[in-house]
Amino acid sequence: MVRDEVLAVFLDEYAKETARLEASATDSQPQRDLELMEIDRQIAASPRQPVSRV
């Protein structure tokens, strides 16, 4: 019985943490998209350098 109770507590905490992480990832998605757009803009604006092959 103790094992079942421990497992139930673990699963409850796991579900809470998973929900928290999913909410956090969803909340920060717009900011990540803006950062990636800025990186893409910087890459597009930078002069092209030839790639040297060794």
Side-chain angles (χ1 to χ4, degrees):
M1 283 299 200
V2 172
R3 180 177 52 189
D4 293 341
E5 292 170 5
V6 170
L7 180 59
V9 169
F10 171 79
L11 292 175
D12 184 53
E13 291 298 316
Y14 181 82
K16 288 177 187 175
E17 184 65 9
T18 300
R20 185 189 70 77
L21 290 172
E22 287 175 350
S24 174
T26 302
D27 291 345
S28 62
Q29 183 67 39
Q31 180 62 32
R32 280 196 305 257
D33 290 345
L34 288 174
E35 291 170 1
L36 289 173
M37 285 173 34
E38 177 60 18
I39 291 169
D40 286 344
R41 187 194 65 73
Q42 290 174 7
I43 290 171
S46 68
R48 301 290 175 177
Q49 299 293 325
V51 176
S52 62
R53 303 204 186 249
V54 180

